[in-house]
Amino acid sequence: MQTVLNLLEAEPIRLFLSFGVILFLVLNLAGILTFAERKVAAYIQLRYGPNRVGPRGFLQPAADVVKLFTKENVSPQRSDLWIFLGAPIAMFLPAAAVWLVVPFAPRSVVADLNVGIVFFIALTSIGALGLIMAGYGSRSTFSLLGAMRGAAQMISYEVPLILSLLGVIMLAGSLSFQDVVNAQAGGFWNWYFLPQLPMFITFYIAGVAEARRVPFDLPEGESEIVGGFMVEYSGMTWGLIQASEFASMALVSAITATLFLGGWQPPFPFLDLGNFNWLWFAIKTALIIFTFQWIRWSLPRLRMDQLMDFGWKVLVPVCLIWLFVTAGAMLAFPSVF
Amino acid sequence: MLGEERKTEETTLSQPVSGRLANPDIRDEFGLETIDMNMGPQHPAMHGLLRLILELDGETVVRCDPVMGYLHRSKEKISENRMYPAVIPITDRIDYMNNMAMEYGYCLAVEKLLDVEIPPRADAIRALMNEFSRIMSHIPSLGFLLLELGAFTPILYAFRERERIQSIMEEVTGARMMFHYIRLGGVKADLPEGMPEKMWEYIEGLENRLQPDFIDLIEGNEIFIARTRGVGKMSPEKAVEMGLTGVPLRCTGVEFDVRKHYPYGWYKNLDFDVVTDDAGDVEASYRCRIGEVRQSIRMIKQILENLPGGEVMGDTGRRIRPAEGDGIARVESARGEYAVHVVSDGSDTPYRVHYRTPCTVNMQLLQEIVPGHYLPDIMPIMGLIDPVSGAWDK
Amino acid sequence: MKGMGITLKHLFDKKVTRQYPEYKKETFERSRGLLTVDMDRCIACLQCMRICPDHCISIEQEKRDADGSGKAKPYAVGFVIDDSRCMYCSLCVEVCPVNCIYHTEEFEAQAYNRLELARQFGERPVDPTIDPKPAVKKKPKAAKQAPKKEAAA
């Protein structure tokens, strides 16, 4: 027994095991999120949503997964098979791997990297690669258009995403997620969304774009390019792409909660739950995910040129201006910070 | 016709590509080429079965050729082999979003040959049901426009309204979509007991719901305005030249409505405005549709206020055999001017029936307007035309 | 952004979905459901068969003294309604002189096989696949006028 525990303590094994746990959690999370998505959509649209499988439809995601596994995996005859099949994995793994650095509660983080934010940025950028692979490998006009849109969009929105993080990094003075959360201790007035409000909004919008959700779901473009880069996918490959979409949505929500809404910090000091502080983190993440869904079922989609205009002409200048304001304030009143 | 089309396609393809690029000057530098893309016939935004052959320069459409005929059911030929009353269920299936107007046009055309007097109550009920049918078509078409822009929710609010009207229709006519209610010489049956009150109640409710559920949800949305303002813009001259009718014509500012300018049936007695807009883009067509729903509500109220009494069926005799000759009637359907030409040779069945559906004519707009727009702009332009697959193929 | 408030409001509104198998849509007096025939009243006049635009009714007729009056009258020994063809236009219902064919409130017509949709009413089954009235013989306009001209000449 003791040897087993000792073996678990060993660094590579611990990391692999935790990654397995994380992978398991993320896949489950994706299932739960599809269910939540459908329920929220249905309630907004005056429907009931899935309510046949299991009590109140809770087993619907399980039924969906069984269905996806039993479906034939069709690939187009002239597709580039390796790229075609590799794309879902290339999309899913980075989205799942970032969860390694997300602090769920004090000290409960798989890898407390001192460059956690850089790790997050680096891995979300890889997501665009999977998207291009999917679009290129399918060998279809629709998916090619979707991939081109996706690449342009992800790269353009990476810029405001990173710029909006700089304010937080400057205030916290660290690139580690744990340090950022610790710096926001002591009530919601210490959270960074108040001093960094424009950055918070920018990060949120850029996050929606990174997760490819309405109104920025141009790579999918349901009504114009019919699913875009994933038009040719079926069965579990499609399921994996969907899982990675939901995982990256949850990820952006979790990062937003961590950086701007205090992570696992309670809104008031007297609400400190001790070991159960991860509940605060879960509640905040769930609320942000809900706003994502609410936006999705209310707004139409932007056009490519409008999307680019919005990213480069509105979000980037706002970020740059607020960066200078933050820097100026820190120089002028060093005692406050 | 088809051969001719193919030929033009080939000749355009053999031409040098650079002339049709959006930015021809950069082509020589980088050796860029256009992509050919087949949109449809199976495509969620094609309102049924329509195939668009697109030539794309990046996201810009250089050429757009609509190919129709994937839902051709030879309605005109079938009509020739059926007895006069049995054609009415066929007309129901031409424009399946606005069936009442299709029945109405055919009945008016045959009645011109029949020498039958239509009782005033039947005329009023025909107009009443036609206006309900128009609301039933216009409100979902707003939903479809939003659906194609990427917002999924308005379509379900629209279909909630449509379901409620369908229940009213079922109580009156017996069916939810394929009514078969307007007959040669009148209507099938009188309104059931208590129906006018029920209609009145529904119309009042719709008037209250129109503002929050549709206008606020759609117009109060910056992205909707950004996506539709200035998209699909055309001049009134161009619209008249192409022979457009209905909302695509009226949204350019041309005031033409068959109900107003060539009144038929009970419309002579009704007071209503022709809704026009000057902009001539997709946003204008949306405003026109909302305005027409309001006008329809106004007309329904007027009809219900003074509904004449009496019979609902004129005397057509047991066997319907119109005199030899031509009968032509035009009505304003939800999509534009719908005309029926019936040729009779004095027998039980029509010699020839021709349906002039507005969608077929309005569809040529795609070829003219789409080139130069971005690819996602095709969808709002389809929403501007609001075609129905059954109506353009017949 | 006004739309966001509206969708939020509807999130808590009463839902309008009808849960189909448990809750069936209300039907009205005039609703046109599946057709049914009261064979006791049928006088085998074949009018419904003639008017039907989709050729979905086939009747097999026989002269029989059914009511014991000593006179042989037409009697429908076979009567089939093919639901796979019917379009519920209710022309047959209107034309029936004894009101023996009518719409029920039933609207669920589904089967695994097309032939199952043909419902037999008579004592002898009729093959629903045979077209009861082969294409209407249409007299062309010219042919009708030609004999007249000859007579005039």
Side-chain angles (χ1 to χ4, degrees):
Chain A
M1 191 67 205
Q2 197 57 43
T3 45
V4 173
L5 280 180
N6 282 338
L7 217 60
L8 284 181
E9 288 283 312
E11 189 52 35
I13 294 175
R14 192 187 72 93
L15 194 70
F16 274 121
L17 269 182
S18 334
F19 189 61
V21 171
I22 290 280
L23 214 58
F24 178 75
L25 282 180
V26 168
L27 279 171
N28 276 305
L29 191 69
I32 293 162
L33 281 178
T34 51
F35 179 70
E37 175 96 37
R38 289 173 69 176
K39 273 288 185 196
V40 169
Y43 271 71
I44 282 179
Q45 295 162 354
L46 306 171
R47 299 185 286 120
Y48 290 111
N51 63 353
R52 291 297 152 115
V53 191
R56 299 185 73 91
F58 278 124
L59 294 178
Q60 185 69 43
D64 285 344
V65 168
V66 170
K67 187 205 82 173
L68 285 176
F69 267 117
T70 50
K71 263 178 97 167
E72 189 191 351
N73 199 352
V74 184
S75 55
Q77 204 179 3
R78 293 170 68 201
S79 64
D80 204 331
L81 205 62
W82 283 106
I83 296 181
F84 182 75
L85 293 180
I89 302 166
M91 284 171 85
F92 179 73
L93 276 185
V98 187
W99 284 95
L100 289 174
V101 294
V102 176
F104 297 99
R107 291 181 309 283
S108 61
V109 54
V110 179
D112 186 13
L113 298 181
N114 54 3
V115 285
I117 294 176
V118 177
F119 185 77
F120 158 69
I121 292 165
L123 280 186
T124 44
S125 314
I126 294 178
L129 176 72
L131 206 138
I132 296 169
M133 279 166 77
Y136 176 79
S138 307
R139 201 159 187 159
S140 147
T141 340
F142 286 89
S143 47
L144 187 69
L145 267 176
M148 288 301 121
R149 283 179 179 192
Q153 174 187 330
M154 304 271 284
I155 290 166
S156 308
Y157 275 73
E158 203 90 327
V159 177
L161 190 81
I162 297 168
L163 282 179
S164 56
L165 287 177
L166 289 183
V168 172
I169 296 171
M170 278 158 66
L171 286 181
S174 167
L175 282 169
S176 156
F177 281 112
Q178 283 285 14
D179 291 352
V180 174
V181 176
N182 285 329
Q184 301 180 66
F188 72 91
W189 48 90
N190 283 343
W191 297 353
Y192 283 149
F193 79 97
L194 282 176
Q196 296 284 323
L197 194 61
M199 295 293 213
F200 172 58
I201 294 166
T202 313
F203 183 82
Y204 182 77
I205 293 171
V208 176
E210 281 293 304
R212 300 187 295 278
R213 306 262 312 169
V214 174
F216 303 106
D217 68 335
L218 283 110
E220 271 175 62
E222 197 65 48
S223 60
E224 50 226 36
I225 51 173
V226 220
F229 62 93
M230 52 184 196
V231 68
E232 300 289 353
Y233 283 91
S234 59
M236 208 51 219
T237 45
W238 180 84
L240 213 53
I241 292 180
Q242 283 292 312
S244 72
E245 302 243 306
F246 282 106
S248 61
M249 178 180 87
L251 179 73
V252 170
S253 313
I255 300 286
T256 315
T258 308
L259 292 178
F260 291 97
L261 298 176
W264 39 263
Q265 302 283 1
F268 295 99
F270 61 85
L271 282 173
D272 197 338
L273 297 174
N275 276 338
F276 288 94
N277 265 340
W278 56 269
L279 268 176
W280 288 117
F281 176 74
I283 289 168
K284 286 168 190 170
T285 312
L287 271 178
I288 295 170
I289 289 176
F290 170 71
T291 59
F292 273 32
Q293 288 166 343
W294 176 25
I295 288 173
R296 163 146 192 194
W297 298 106
S298 306
L299 296 182
R301 182 181 307 122
L302 280 167
R303 209 168 56 201
M304 200 67 211
D305 55 329
Q306 292 160 350
L307 178 92
M308 287 296 168
D309 282 0
F310 188 64
W312 289 103
K313 294 183 188 165
V314 179
L315 293 185
V316 172
V318 164
C319 280
L320 288 175
I321 289 168
W322 203 253
L323 201 60
F324 281 113
V325 171
T326 315
M330 284 178 79
L331 274 181
F333 316 102
S335 56
V336 184
F337 295 98
Chain B
M1 181 63 205
L2 204 65
E4 218 175 277
E5 233 176 64
R6 290 237 174 96
K7 210 192 252 169
T8 50
E9 195 184 305
E10 271 168 29
T11 44
T12 41
L13 282 181
S14 59
Q15 278 168 8
V17 194
S18 67
R20 286 177 283 125
L21 281 173
N23 303 313
D25 46 322
I26 61 165
R27 186 236 170 197
D28 303 327
E29 204 174 320
F30 298 107
L32 299 177
E33 280 182 24
T34 53
I35 315 174
D36 280 352
M37 185 169 173
N38 261 310
M39 209 176 230
Q42 299 286 349
H43 189 280
M46 285 296 128
H47 287 254
L49 295 169
L50 173 69
R51 175 176 163 217
L52 296 181
I53 303 172
L54 300 174
E55 194 174 331
L56 299 175
D57 175 14
E59 287 262 329
T60 319
V61 181
V62 187
R63 181 174 63 108
C64 170
D65 283 342
V67 182
M68 301 185 212
Y70 287 93
L71 200 66
H72 184 63
R73 295 157 298 168
S74 53
K75 290 285 174 222
E76 291 178 359
K77 195 68 195 169
I78 297 175
S79 309
E80 287 174 23
N81 290 320
R82 287 193 172 188
M83 284 188 271
Y84 279 96
V87 175
I88 302 172
I90 288 271
T91 58
D92 261 341
R93 282 145 178 91
I94 293 176
D95 184 343
Y96 42 73
M97 294 296 281
N98 184 22
N99 324 54
M100 237 9 140
M102 302 290 120
E103 292 174 14
Y104 201 0
Y106 172 76
C107 287
L108 278 178
V110 179
E111 278 156 10
K112 290 217 170 123
L113 298 169
L114 262 182
D115 185 34
V116 58
E117 199 184 319
I118 293 128
R121 189 174 172 87
D123 253 351
I125 293 177
R126 281 178 174 190
L128 175 73
M129 299 309 267
N130 249 304
E131 291 314 312
F132 263 115
S133 183
R134 194 182 310 280
I135 296 178
M136 224 166 120
S137 166
H138 271 346
I139 286 186
S141 87
L142 297 176
F144 285 134
L145 173 61
L146 264 284
L147 177 69
E148 284 153 12
L149 291 176
F152 196 80
T153 303
I155 183 81
L156 283 138
Y157 296 165
F159 266 92
R160 181 182 51 161
E161 296 304 330
R162 190 177 152 92
E163 278 292 319
R164 286 175 185 166
I165 303 178
Q166 274 179 336
S167 285
I168 291 178
M169 292 297 225
E170 189 181 4
E171 202 168 343
V172 177
T173 69
R176 295 177 78 75
M177 264 178 92
M178 306 302 169
F179 307 120
H180 194 205
Y181 182 62
I182 297 177
R183 301 294 169 89
L184 301 171
V187 294
K188 181 186 166 194
D190 204 348
L191 298 177
E193 197 75 13
M195 201 63 224
E197 291 77 35
K198 218 174 197 175
M199 285 177 171
W200 188 271
E201 194 189 328
Y202 172 75
I203 281 297
E204 299 252 282
L206 174 65
E207 222 175 356
N208 295 333
R209 282 194 297 270
L210 204 60
Q211 184 68 33
D213 277 7
F214 297 100
I215 298 174
D216 283 354
L217 183 61
I218 297 171
E219 233 169 65
N221 191 329
E222 289 80 359
I223 299 178
F224 172 79
I225 302 294
R227 282 296 302 273
T228 55
R229 188 166 286 169
V231 170
K233 197 155 174 62
M234 59 187 158
S235 62
E237 294 79 31
K238 186 98 187 161
V240 172
E241 188 188 298
M242 281 193 278
L244 305 183
T245 45
V247 172
L249 176 70
R250 285 196 285 273
C251 75
T252 60
V254 182
E255 194 179 321
F256 175 75
D257 191 319
V258 182
R259 289 173 295 173
K260 193 85 180 173
H261 298 100
Y262 302 93
Y264 51 94
W266 198 250
Y267 287 108
K268 294 180 193 98
N269 310 336
L270 294 178
D271 175 33
F272 65 98
D273 303 326
V274 180
V275 185
T276 55
D277 206 295
D278 297 327
D281 54 7
V282 179
E283 198 200 355
S285 81
Y286 150 77
R287 279 200 298 268
C288 272
R289 288 220 164 83
I290 285 282
E292 281 189 23
V293 170
R294 287 195 195 284
Q295 293 298 326
S296 287
I297 291 173
R298 196 174 144 198
M299 273 184 255
I300 289 170
K301 282 188 172 169
Q302 283 175 33
I303 298 169
L304 286 176
E305 263 166 8
N306 34 35
L307 199 63
E311 287 290 307
V312 294
M313 194 72 185
D315 184 21
T316 54
R318 206 174 142 263
R319 205 149 189 198
I320 293 170
R321 261 191 185 155
E324 279 183 36
D326 298 38
I328 302 176
R330 50 209 299 215
V331 296
E332 180 78 22
S333 86
R335 272 147 255 286
E337 182 187 334
Y338 165 69
V340 183
H341 182 188
V342 178
V343 184
S344 160
D345 59 355
S347 66
D348 271 346
T349 56
Y351 182 72
R352 172 88 169 90
V353 184
H354 177 67
Y355 305 106
R356 186 262 188 215
T357 48
C359 297
T360 323
V361 181
N362 290 357
M363 194 65 85
Q364 58 185 311
L365 198 100
L366 283 174
Q367 213 164 359
E368 297 278 333
I369 297 287
V370 167
H373 278 98
Y374 289 108
L375 175 69
D377 286 338
I378 295 176
M379 279 74 223
I381 292 173
M382 288 293 280
L384 182 152
I385 308 170
D386 185 31
V388 162
S389 197
W392 77 63
D393 281 345
K394 286 177 274 189
Chain C
M1 294 300 125
K2 230 194 233 173
M4 302 274 294
I6 291 151
T7 47
L8 188 67
K9 198 183 101 241
H10 279 302
L11 190 63
F12 305 106
D13 268 10
K14 196 170 169 290
K15 308 294 169 241
V16 294
T17 312
R18 297 182 184 125
Q19 306 262 315
Y20 165 62
E22 291 95 41
Y23 173 85
K24 280 180 188 160
K25 185 182 73 66
E26 75 278 15
T27 49
F28 303 103
E29 199 189 332
R30 291 181 186 173
S31 294
R32 302 207 289 264
L34 295 177
L35 286 168
T36 190
V37 190
D38 186 357
M39 285 309 288
D40 295 342
R41 271 189 285 166
C42 180
I43 56 167
C45 62
L46 304 191
Q47 286 205 42
C48 49
M49 187 175 124
R50 287 203 195 100
I51 193 82
C52 181
D54 294 332
H55 307 195
C56 81
I57 302 174
S58 325
I59 304 171
E60 205 176 311
Q61 201 187 30
E62 198 179 276
K63 295 263 181 184
R64 188 192 283 189
D65 183 9
D67 52 357
S69 62
K71 260 202 284 185
K73 283 181 196 159
Y75 182 80
V77 281
F79 198 117
V80 64
I81 298 175
D82 190 352
D83 282 334
S84 63
R85 292 187 194 166
C86 182
M87 65 170 175
Y88 310 101
C89 63
S90 98
L91 279 168
C92 51
V93 176
E94 282 155 34
V95 85
C96 185
V98 289
N99 294 332
C100 76
I101 185 164
Y102 55 91
H103 288 289
T104 54
E105 291 193 345
E106 199 64 35
F107 56 85
E108 292 161 313
Q110 63 277 93
Y112 286 108
N113 189 334
R114 255 177 93 158
L115 286 178
E116 282 171 38
L117 282 172
R119 283 174 298 129
Q120 304 282 355
F121 291 94
E123 37 197 77
R124 203 186 292 162
V126 185
D127 185 2
T129 53
I130 296 170
D131 193 346
K133 36 172 196 180
V136 184
K137 274 175 199 149
K138 191 178 162 95
K139 286 177 198 158
K141 208 172 176 180
K144 218 172 83 185
Q145 285 169 347
K148 276 185 200 165
K149 272 179 196 164
E150 273 169 33

